[in-house]
Amino acid sequence: MRVLLALIATVLSLTSPAMSQTHSDVPAPNAQPWDRAFLPPAPQWDGASRALLRPASDPWVTAFEADPEHDFSPTYADTRAWFDRLDAASDLIRIEQFGISPEGRPIYAVIASKDGATLDPSKPVLLAQAGIHPGEIDGKDAGMMLLRDIAFYGKDSLLDRVNLILIPILSVDGHERASPYSRPNQRGPRIQGWRNTGTNQNLNRDFMKLDQPEMQALMRLIVKYDPTLYVDIHVTDGIDYQYDVTYGFNGENGAYSRSPAISAWLNDTLKPAMNDALEGQGHIPGELVFAIDDRDPKAGMNDGGLGERFSNGFGSAAHIPTILIENHSLKPHEQRVLGTYVFLEQALVQLANHGTDLDTAIAADRALRPAQIPANFDGDTQPTSTRAFKGILYETYESRASGRSELRWLGRPDPDLWQVPFYGSHPTLTLDRPVAYWVPGYRTDIIERLRLHGVTMETLDAPRTVSVEMLRLDDPKLAATTNEGHVAVAVTKVTPQTRDWTYHPGSARVPTDQPLGNLVVLLLEPQSNESFAAWGMFPEVLNRVEYIEGYAIAPLAEAMMAADPALKAAFESRLATDPAFAANAEARLGWFYERTPFYDDRYRLYPIGREIAP
Ligand SMILES: [Zn+2]
């Protein structure tokens, strides 16, 4: 369906001059079938937060507010021009450029503070990020309103005890690939940016590997300001429900967070106050959930599991309190933006009132050094609980298009609360924490990415030979398709071996006794599905080098059998039990070659050593 719609959109943009690619051109009204009439209706909404909207006559009205339907979000250039004007007019606001996109656009943050040029490190910092997926841009329009109200309309006291950093648009290139056809499942704004970057990358899969300039810049900003709370603002896809603002951290109530103290604060302190604030303004807050089956919404929900490539998974591993907001795609842009405003304002209030407790929680989690680290989470097959759920009524009908029964959302709240099974996640791998890792100096790319994360390390300026445990990758499996510009390599079996290895100048010893130690383990253990190796970044070790001619190995094999009766017995047993092997001359000779010292002993040997406690 997505492909078909994309095709229609492409054809249309080629044939119709009315379909401009810029935000400022509003497409001509039309009765085309792709004008969103196919979307289910949204329940009527008239929340108290509408009072936050300022009239078009206001000198500081935002483009979103000025639009009669509140269904518009300004271009990159118009957004920047508006913030530049705000910056010039208010001492509380300044703009900080922190990166450049692949297409050359500055990436900037808007900082709201009473501290002047240097932020007081004792104050909590809220980092609010919009537009990592540019079609899901609610945070930009909400942030503009909130900063304006802080600057001019009596909300400056929010900054008495907290600083605010807003990234209005992170994926700036994707934001400018704008059209009415970017988000088929989403109700506004009427012109939307594109999910991926100009280089077709999904930035919300790049929190660990840090391939992209946007994410490298973001990580520098995060390390520089060390946010007390990081809020990553999105819009959902998937099923309909009554909730307009859903948000989550990790797992059901943070059940399997890697930051238990932070999770407790988010769950026990922030969440009740946040839900009260949202409900008080007419919103319907809910937990971040994903349907097990979009065509059978009562079958159950899960929380999407724990993946460190995503913002909230990364935040949990890095001990940065991180909330993923997913506003509901079928609610109007206006309702979603206003809910986001209430969320951000309340987050500032909570940091002002309880930021010290959160600081204490962060410190506790950053002191954790678990000996074992769960990894590679998978969805449970059995529900862990049943949850009350505010559903939307639906029916099914026979579709001539699909030839099967399809679901039709009716846009009316179900008066009966649903009780739906809830599925959690569980780790399928446990990683042992070594004392340190040794990264060879020639992998400057790996060392640089660790540094970008803020990982501390010792860099060698002279060769050093150390005893390390090295891992042989026994069963590397290359993925059949590419993913984010990589060919993933899954490794389920490794054989450790202790070796003396010489690390050359520029090599790095990376201790795990640091706050980011868990993150280091997840990045550097090749079996971790969030590791650099899992993204296929060590393909060079998968090639075997050198070989032995048949005329050399055949007589050598005879000699080996003569010298070693056990080896001879093992060979004969293999012949007896494996007819395919017995019939394959090359495999038989290879069996002996692998058992000679001529065999390439670095084949599939992962080059990052593990330093084990003596
Ligand atoms: Zn998103």
Side-chain angles (χ1 to χ4, degrees):
M1 192 59 167
R2 267 179 183 284
V3 174
L4 182 65
L5 285 173
L7 196 67
I8 292 168
T10 306
V11 170
L12 189 77
S13 67
L14 289 173
T15 54
S16 164
M19 296 305 140
S20 165
Q21 293 286 308
T22 66
H23 290 234
S24 49
D25 293 335
V26 176
N30 62 62
Q32 303 289 9
W34 38 83
D35 68 357
R36 291 300 194 282
F38 56 81
L39 283 184
Q44 278 299 314
W45 181 80
D46 190 22
S49 59
R50 276 216 168 113
L52 295 164
L53 293 163
R54 301 202 75 84
S57 58
D58 189 292
W60 288 104
V61 72
T62 68
F64 155 75
E65 293 167 308
D67 181 70
E69 292 168 348
H70 301 142
D71 193 35
F72 183 77
S73 192
T75 61
Y76 171 86
D78 290 349
T79 303
R80 179 61 191 259
W82 190 90
F83 275 123
D84 282 341
R85 202 157 64 86
L86 191 70
D87 176 14
S90 170
D91 288 345
L92 301 178
I93 305 291
R94 68 182 164 89
I95 292 174
E96 180 170 318
Q97 180 179 328
F98 64 94
I100 298 267
S101 73
E103 293 180 356
R105 294 183 181 88
I107 308 170
Y108 63 95
V110 186
I111 300 179
S113 173
K114 292 188 170 176
D115 298 347
T118 307
L119 300 190
D120 176 353
S122 72
K123 281 189 193 169
V125 172
L126 173 63
L127 174 60
Q129 172 191 288
I132 193 170
H133 290 154
E136 311 164 20
I137 202 62
D138 308 357
K140 176 183 68 179
D141 296 303
M144 292 172 82
M145 290 173 62
L146 179 59
L147 288 182
R148 179 265 324 273
D149 292 346
I150 286 172
F152 300 124
Y153 292 107
K155 293 199 174 176
D156 65 288
S157 62
L158 288 168
L159 298 181
D160 286 350
R161 286 179 287 166
V162 187
N163 288 315
L164 169 61
I165 301 175
L166 170 74
I167 301 172
I169 312 165
L170 179 62
S171 182
V172 290
D173 296 343
H175 186 272
E176 294 307 280
R177 182 180 168 183
S179 88
Y181 306 111
S182 297
R183 298 272 299 159
N185 315 310
Q186 183 177 311
R187 183 163 271 117
R190 74 175 76 90
I191 309 285
Q192 304 157 335
W194 191 250
R195 181 179 188 80
N196 275 17
T197 66
T199 58
N200 198 25
Q201 296 283 324
N202 185 339
L203 298 183
N204 199 25
R205 304 293 182 273
D206 198 26
F207 276 87
M208 292 294 269
K209 57 186 169 58
L210 301 180
D211 280 339
Q212 301 307 313
E214 295 93 333
M215 296 306 288
Q216 293 167 6
L218 172 67
M219 207 52 69
R220 284 190 197 97
L221 188 82
I222 286 176
V223 169
K224 176 179 178 182
Y225 287 110
D226 191 17
T228 319
L229 182 62
Y230 173 35
V231 179
D232 177 26
I233 305 160
H234 292 248
V235 178
T236 64
D237 285 293
I239 65 165
D240 201 359
Y241 40 66
Q242 294 177 43
Y243 309 108
D244 58 357
V245 178
T246 74
Y247 64 99
F249 6 111
N250 262 330
E252 183 182 14
N253 301 326
Y256 30 74
S257 172
R258 301 187 189 281
S259 295
I262 290 170
S263 270
W265 186 92
L266 293 170
N267 201 55
D268 302 339
T269 300
L270 181 119
K271 191 157 76 175
M274 184 62 72
N275 289 350
D276 282 353
L278 285 163
E279 284 167 2
Q281 292 293 307
H283 294 276
I284 311 117
E287 301 244 0
L288 176 68
V289 290
F290 302 86
I292 299 286
D293 178 356
D294 282 356
R295 302 180 65 245
D296 184 8
K298 292 181 181 173
M301 307 287 166
N302 69 34
D303 56 28
L306 184 84
E308 285 74 20
R309 67 192 62 190
F310 303 92
S311 59
N312 53 328
F314 158 77
S316 175
H319 310 307
I320 297 168
T322 302
I323 293 176
L324 173 61
I325 294 183
E326 290 278 2
N327 293 325
H328 189 245
S329 58
L330 293 173
K331 305 299 182 287
H333 184 56
E334 178 196 60
Q335 183 177 350
R336 303 195 317 257
V337 169
L338 294 174
T340 307
Y341 181 116
V342 174
F343 192 107
L344 294 177
E345 181 176 15
Q346 184 57 215
L348 290 171
V349 170
Q350 291 305 308
L351 287 177
N353 294 341
H354 306 288
T356 311
D357 295 342
L358 182 53
D359 278 336
T360 304
I362 293 169
D365 286 338
R366 289 184 182 179
L368 295 174
R369 303 288 185 268
Q372 296 199 307
I373 296 163
N376 297 10
F377 282 73
D378 220 346
D380 293 343
T381 53
Q382 293 299 318
T384 48
S385 60
T386 300
R387 282 190 188 180
F389 193 78
K390 295 178 180 174
I392 292 275
L393 293 168
Y394 63 92
E395 62 188 15
T396 55
Y397 69 102
E398 289 305 313
S399 163
R400 279 198 300 166
S402 73
R404 68 179 180 189
S405 169
E406 296 291 341
L407 190 148
R408 177 187 288 134
W409 293 104
L410 300 176
R412 299 195 303 276
D414 191 334
D416 296 326
L417 208 54
W418 296 3
Q419 298 294 331
V420 294
F422 182 83
Y423 294 78
S425 302
H426 59 277
T428 60
L429 176 68
T430 302
L431 299 167
D432 291 328
R433 182 193 206 88
V435 174
Y437 291 95
W438 288 80
V439 184
Y442 61 84
R443 289 310 300 264
T444 50
D445 55 335
I446 299 295
I447 293 170
E448 176 57 23
R449 288 166 204 247
L450 291 168
R451 278 193 212 286
L452 276 169
H453 272 292
V455 169
T456 58
M457 62 189 77
E458 173 196 354
T459 307
L460 302 193
D461 49 18
R464 200 185 304 174
T465 299
V466 289
S467 174
V468 290
E469 182 179 87
M470 301 193 73
L471 301 178
R472 181 92 59 192
L473 313 180
D474 291 327
D475 62 345
K477 286 195 181 56
L478 273 65
T481 56
T482 59
N483 184 16
E484 301 299 324
H486 291 267
V487 177
V489 177
V491 175
T492 58
K493 263 184 68 192
V494 296
T495 303
Q497 50 182 253
T498 303
R499 299 171 73 134
D500 288 336
W501 201 263
T502 300
Y503 287 92
H504 294 279
S507 299
R509 179 182 181 273
V510 185
T512 64
D513 184 11
Q514 57 179 307
L516 291 174
N518 289 3
L519 197 81
V520 168
V521 172
L522 292 166
L523 282 169
L524 296 185
E525 290 289 334
Q527 290 169 275
S528 154
N529 60 17
E530 297 287 355
S531 66
F532 295 125
W535 282 107
M537 291 166 68
F538 290 88
E540 66 277 15
V541 305
L542 303 182
N543 281 85
R544 203 190 80 199
V545 177
E546 269 299 352
Y547 74 106
I548 191 165
E549 296 287 2
Y551 61 71
I553 187 63
L556 176 53
E558 300 286 353
M560 289 164 72
M561 284 192 281
D564 185 348
L567 179 101
K568 181 168 184 285
F571 179 64
E572 283 166 355
S573 156
R574 180 76 188 269
L575 290 180
T577 56
D578 188 344
F581 175 77
N584 185 335
E586 295 301 329
R588 291 167 61 148
L589 294 177
W591 189 91
F592 288 99
Y593 179 37
E594 285 174 31
R595 287 159 176 76
T596 72
F598 297 105
Y599 191 74
D600 177 5
D601 86 332
R602 295 193 186 182
Y603 176 47
R604 293 180 175 172
L605 189 70
Y606 181 60
I608 295 179
R610 309 172 83 246
E611 182 181 321
I612 311 294

